[in-house]
Amino acid sequence: MKKIYLFASLLFACVSLGLTSCGNDDELSSQSVFGSETQAEPNELDTWIKKNYLDEYNIDLQYRYNDRLTDQVYNVVPAKYENSVALAIMFKHIWLDVYREVLGAEFLKRYSPRQIQFIGSREYGPNGSVILGTAEGGLKIMLYGVNEFDIDNPRINVDDPYADPAASPADLNHWMFHTVHHEFCHILTQMKNYSTEYQTITAGSYHSQDWINLKDKKVQEEGFVSAYGSSEYNEDFAEMFSTYVTMSPAAWNKILETAGEKGAPLLNKKLDLIRKYFSEQWGLDIDVLRDKVLQRSSEVGTLDLRDLSKN
C-alpha cells in the first residue's frame, strides 16, 4: 500500500504543477542512473587469499561485505581490512594447515567449504542467543564478530572451559576456532552420517526450547558438553567434537569433573562414538588432530598478524 500511495502522490504532483516531464513524450535513456558495477582492484590481501586459499584448496574466502551472502533478517557490518588480514593468517595456521598435516591437501580440496565469509559484527537471535557461525549445505561457512578481537594481543584460551569468552581481549578459540571446527563437523556429518546410537545416549534430556537459559556446568551433569549442545543431537555431536579438539586435556578433564558421576560416563560414551566415527568414516584420529590444533594455537603469538609477506 505504501508503494501505491507514493506513486499516486507523485502523479498528483505532476498534474498539479503542470510538469510535462512526467508524460511519455520524452525518450527514455538506455543508460542506467546507477551506473555499472565495477570490481575492486585486487589488493595485497586478495592476492594472498587467492594463493593460499583459492588456488591451494579451492576455498573462496570473502571479507568484503556482500549482502547477497548474508541473512537479510539481521543488521551486520563489514569486516575491517586489518582484522581480516589477521584472521586469514590465523585460520590458515590453526585450521587449514592442521587438516593438511593430518589428512592431506586433497582432503581439504574435496571436503572443505567452498566459501568462507567474514562478517564484522555478530548476529543476535530473537531469544537473546549469539550466532557465532553458520554452515550452509556443506558449501559455505559464515563467521561473525571479526572486528572484535585484538590483533596485537590475540587470546586463544585452550585451558579453562569456564573462562568468560567476552573478557578483554576476546577469546578467539570460543568465538572463531571452536566455531569453524563445529561448522566443519556439520559439513562432514552431512556427507557421511554418524551412528544413530549417538542419539539415544541422552535422548530424553535435550533442551530444545530453554537451552539459552542454561549454563554449561549444569548441562554437563546431564551429559552435554555445552548448553547449546543440549539443544538437539546434531548440535550435541558438533559441540562435543569442536570442544574436544580445541581444548587441552586438562580442560577436558575439568569438564568431566564438573559432569560428575552421572554426566561424565555419558560424555565419554559420546566421545567414544565420535572417535569411532571420524576414524572409520574419515581416517581421522581426533587425538592427533587435537595435538596439532593445540600446538599451532600456541604458536599464534609468534606470527606477524599484520604482515602477509611473512606468512
Side-chain angles (χ1 to χ4, degrees):
M1 293 300 293
K2 288 183 178 179
K3 290 182 180 179
I4 296 173
Y5 177 80
L6 178 60
F7 176 76
S9 299
L10 290 173
L11 180 61
F12 176 78
C14 290
V15 174
S16 299
L17 297 176
L19 299 177
T20 59
S21 60
C22 289
N24 55 11
D25 293 334
D26 297 338
E27 293 185 6
L28 295 176
S29 171
S30 61
Q31 183 174 354
S32 171
V33 297
F34 297 105
S36 59
E37 294 184 6
T38 58
Q39 183 68 38
E41 287 295 320
N43 56 36
E44 185 182 8
L45 179 55
D46 295 324
T47 302
W48 189 89
I49 288 173
K50 182 178 184 300
K51 175 183 176 183
N52 292 281
Y53 282 78
L54 189 59
D55 293 347
E56 191 70 22
Y57 303 112
N58 197 27
I59 297 174
D60 178 22
L61 175 60
Q62 294 277 338
Y63 64 93
R64 290 186 176 88
Y65 183 77
N66 186 337
D67 58 5
R68 289 175 295 182
L69 301 178
T70 59
D71 191 334
Q72 298 301 299
V73 173
Y74 301 94
N75 293 320
V76 293
V77 302
K80 295 178 180 178
Y81 178 84
E82 58 271 23
N83 288 61
S84 298
V85 168
L87 193 56
I89 292 170
M90 284 189 283
F91 263 116
K92 177 183 180 299
H93 189 77
I94 295 178
W95 188 60
L96 284 177
D97 289 350
V98 165
Y99 279 98
R100 184 184 183 115
E101 273 195 74
V102 298
L103 290 174
E106 289 302 317
F107 171 84
L108 284 171
K109 290 177 182 178
R110 184 171 181 182
Y111 297 111
S112 65
R114 297 303 86 186
Q115 189 171 67
I116 299 174
Q117 175 72 52
F118 289 172
I119 301 296
S121 55
R122 304 195 191 286
E123 288 186 352
Y124 296 88
N127 60 357
S129 62
V130 180
I131 300 172
L132 302 182
T134 56
E136 300 180 8
L139 298 176
K140 181 173 71 174
I141 288 179
M142 305 282 289
L143 291 168
Y144 305 95
V146 173
N147 296 346
E148 300 181 18
F149 68 90
D150 187 339
I151 299 172
D152 299 310
N153 297 286
R155 175 186 169 213
I156 302 177
N157 168 42
V158 300
D159 294 317
D160 186 357
Y162 307 115
D164 181 5
S168 183
D171 176 17
L172 283 168
N173 204 26
H174 173 83
W175 298 112
M176 295 292 173
F177 304 121
H178 171 100
T179 301
V180 78
H181 283 288
H182 177 109
E183 300 302 340
F184 193 36
C185 181
H186 280 317
I187 288 173
L188 295 178
T189 57
Q190 287 168 14
M191 294 181 178
K192 299 180 182 181
N193 204 359
Y194 53 91
S195 170
T196 55
E197 181 184 352
Y198 189 95
Q199 303 171 22
T200 68
I201 298 174
T202 49
S205 303
Y206 285 99
H207 300 272
S208 60
Q209 300 299 322
D210 64 336
W211 67 266
I212 188 64
N213 300 315
L214 302 176
K215 301 295 184 182
D216 290 348
K217 287 185 176 181
K218 178 62 177 177
V219 299
Q220 285 164 2
E221 296 174 359
E222 301 175 6
F224 303 105
V225 75
S226 70
Y228 184 52
S230 72
S231 62
E232 57 99 16
Y233 58 82
N234 286 316
E235 301 303 340
D236 183 7
F237 192 97
E239 276 291 278
M240 281 286 296
F241 170 75
S242 55
T243 299
Y244 186 77
V245 301
T246 59
M247 301 301 290
S248 68
W252 182 254
N253 287 335
K254 287 181 183 179
I255 292 173
L256 293 179
E257 290 171 7
T258 300
E261 294 182 359
K262 179 183 176 182
L266 298 174
L267 288 173
N268 282 326
K269 187 173 182 180
K270 289 179 178 179
L271 184 61
D272 287 342
L273 289 177
I274 290 172
R275 185 178 281 112
K276 181 179 180 181
Y277 165 78
F278 278 101
S279 176
E280 293 182 351
Q281 298 298 328
W282 300 104
L284 173 63
D285 185 327
I286 63 172
D287 292 289
V288 173
L289 179 69
R290 177 173 69 171
D291 289 344
K292 295 296 183 182
V293 168
L294 295 176
Q295 173 196 329
R296 287 184 169 273
S297 295
S298 69
E299 295 169 352
V300 165
T302 68
L303 303 177
D304 188 334
L305 300 179
R306 294 185 181 273
D307 192 341
L308 290 165
S309 67
K310 296 180 180 179
N311 296 279

